[in-house]
Amino acid sequence: MPLSDSLGRPLRDLRISVTDRCNFRCRYCMPREHFGSDHKFLAKEEILSYEEISKLAESMIPLGLKKLRITGGEPLMRRDIANLVEMLRRLGDDLDLAMTTNGVLLKNHAEALKQAGLNRVTVSLDALDRDLFQKMGDTRHEPSEVIEGIDEALRVGLEVKVNMVVQRSLNETQIVPIANMCFERTLTPRFIEFMDVGVTNQWNLEAVVSGQEIRDALSKEYGDLEAVKPDHPSDVARRWTTPQGYEFGLIQSVTEPFCGDCSRARISANGSMYTCLFASEGHDLRALLRFDANHDQLQHAIQSIWMDRKDRYSEQRTKQVEVPSKVEMSFIGG
Ligand code: SAM
Ligand code: SF4
Ligand code: SF4
């Protein structure tokens, strides 16, 4: 019998954070006042090795794992990341292997990642306007570096998607320019509602631009939009097409939560398993790995964590009494 949690949801997707460090300080994710020079990032020995990550992933395959996403922090800051991709690819040709990155280091890594067996890359890009890009990412990098990364990824044959987090009175003006940049390259942009992950990003509901508002902006530019049938119920993005045949996605975790089909587990860089993006506590798998647990023991531990899972934070958001301490997204992996 396939594994399912207490609400009947399978374990299909795993997001692995390979580092809690990042070369950006996006205001909505790692604001510098909380992640400044005095912030204590994980020490090297606290972080899972590639062998440990691969062993965990291998233990999850018999439990139904189909999709694996490497994320962070910024995954391309971890040394020899293509080696991890290669190890994960050895676990099975059918495993869907993806990475989420801010894209500024992608130009130099795309070829090696493709060669190692990565299928897909999701590049985060919140603005094409240089000043806005630098303000949102609190960075000196340029949007042109990200575009070069995207173009190189396409050149080497990776499937590319672009993620844009939309915040009110900040980057709504960038919805159409980013859509145009993607459509010119026949890429799918995905517009994400600003989420209340972690506790440092000063989230408030007024700053959320709803999927409906994003659709209105795109429909004004391109004409009447049509909904596309989802490929799989656990797909996070609802897809739409423009009359010109361009496709885009909306990730509406605030206004249209999708917990009912959520099949995602997460592993933080220090080896804790989280059953929800909004969890406050993880389950330590690193201790098991370092006590030399075998595949059966790991599988058993993961199985019982999953069977216990009841999370549906986004569906309960409005009824929620204050959650004590949600883990930060840069730590758990977006
Ligand atoms: N550094 C990589 C990047 O930015 O693509 C990977 C990690 S990042 C945490 C993964 C994704 O989470 C990015 O697309 C980012 O825009 C998104 N994200 C981070 N904080 C968010 C928030 N508060 N609301 C919505 N999306 C967020
Ligand atoms: Fe870094 Fe990604 Fe978070 Fe921005 S969203 S601070 S790039 S981890
Ligand atoms: Fe999944 Fe938690 Fe997000 Fe709901 S809130 S979709 S359970 S990660």
Side-chain angles (χ1 to χ4, degrees):
M1 254 243 311
L3 175 63
S4 52
D5 70 8
S6 68
L7 301 173
R9 300 167 296 186
L11 196 177
R12 290 184 82 247
D13 308 60
L14 177 64
R15 299 185 176 197
I16 300 175
S17 172
V18 292
T19 177
D20 59 337
R21 289 165 200 259
C22 188
N23 44 1
F24 280 29
R25 286 290 178 276
C26 299
R27 300 290 313 149
Y28 57 66
C29 179
M30 296 179 79
R32 202 173 289 276
E33 56 277 22
H34 293 278
F35 294 89
S37 49
D38 55 348
H39 180 76
K40 238 177 138 291
F41 287 100
L42 293 169
K44 189 162 180 266
E45 59 280 7
E46 292 178 280
I47 290 182
L48 292 191
S49 68
Y50 290 164
E51 287 73 20
E52 289 171 328
I53 292 175
S54 172
K55 192 169 175 184
L56 279 183
E58 189 171 2
S59 307
M60 291 196 193
I61 289 176
L63 303 178
L65 184 67
K66 301 273 183 292
K67 288 166 93 171
L68 225 153
R69 179 171 295 277
I70 299 170
T71 177
E74 176 45 44
L76 294 179
M77 287 184 73
R78 178 102 184 237
R79 193 186 291 243
D80 300 324
I81 191 72
N83 292 355
L84 173 65
V85 174
E86 204 177 308
M87 289 165 78
L88 295 172
R89 175 50 69 219
R90 274 190 235 125
L91 302 179
D93 291 342
D94 297 345
L95 199 59
D96 180 22
L97 277 183
M99 178 181 283
T100 306
T101 169
N102 62 32
V104 291
L105 299 173
L106 186 57
K107 189 178 173 191
N108 292 334
H109 284 79
E111 178 118 48
L113 292 170
K114 172 71 184 170
Q115 297 263 323
L118 192 75
N119 300 109
R120 300 185 292 121
V121 67
T122 300
V123 181
S124 306
L125 179 61
D126 299 327
L128 288 183
D129 176 87
R130 182 172 176 264
D131 292 343
L132 199 47
F133 174 91
Q134 293 186 333
K135 179 175 162 191
M136 288 185 75
D138 194 356
T139 175
R140 293 210 179 118
H141 285 289
E142 306 263 342
S144 57
E145 297 170 64
V146 181
I147 304 286
E148 284 172 20
I150 290 174
D151 286 336
E152 178 64 5
L154 287 170
R155 191 191 68 77
V156 302
L158 286 165
E159 192 191 309
V160 181
K161 286 194 180 113
V162 171
N163 272 2
M164 170 183 177
V165 176
V166 189
Q167 276 181 277
R168 191 173 310 284
S169 310
L170 192 58
N171 65 339
E172 295 134 300
T173 55
Q174 302 297 295
I175 296 173
V176 170
I178 289 204
N180 279 333
M181 181 280 288
C182 290
F183 295 161
E184 273 166 21
R185 293 167 167 80
T186 54
L187 297 180
T188 310
R190 303 194 314 169
F191 302 95
I192 307 179
E193 290 178 347
F194 175 38
M195 290 188 285
D196 49 335
V197 276
V199 288
T200 62
N201 68 4
Q202 300 201 315
W203 182 86
N204 67 78
L205 194 55
E206 286 84 68
V208 178
V209 179
S210 69
Q212 175 69 55
E213 292 172 273
I214 296 168
R215 251 165 51 205
D216 290 346
L218 290 167
S219 154
K220 210 165 141 204
E221 181 72 16
Y222 299 103
D224 288 345
L225 306 171
E226 250 183 68
V228 180
K229 222 173 138 258
D231 285 339
H232 194 278
S234 68
D235 291 349
V236 291
R238 293 287 162 258
R239 294 182 291 150
W240 294 81
T241 50
T242 70
Q244 301 76 18
Y246 299 129
E247 191 173 297
F248 67 90
L250 295 174
I251 302 181
Q252 296 172 257
S253 78
V254 179
T255 63
E256 283 186 33
F258 34 77
C259 302
D261 295 307
C262 178
S263 55
R264 288 175 293 284
R266 292 180 157 81
I267 297 199
S268 60
N270 63 350
S272 282
M273 177 168 161
Y274 290 83
T275 53
C276 178
L277 182 54
F278 298 91
S280 41
E281 269 175 48
H283 305 261
D284 183 13
L285 296 176
R286 187 185 64 187
L288 279 178
L289 282 163
R290 296 196 178 167
F291 275 118
D292 225 10
N294 61 27
H295 280 297
D296 280 353
Q297 290 163 324
L298 285 171
Q299 212 170 303
H300 189 75
I302 294 163
Q303 206 163 354
S304 51
I305 295 167
W306 194 259
M307 284 166 75
D308 236 19
R309 177 180 190 245
K310 302 175 193 68
D311 310 81
R312 48 189 198 94
Y313 176 88
S314 288
E315 287 182 352
Q316 298 171 317
R317 182 179 273 113
T318 49
K319 300 178 205 104
Q320 210 89 23
V321 217
E322 198 52 36
V323 179
S325 69
K326 289 176 285 171
V327 71
E328 296 299 326
M329 196 155 176
S330 54
F331 177 76
I332 195 180

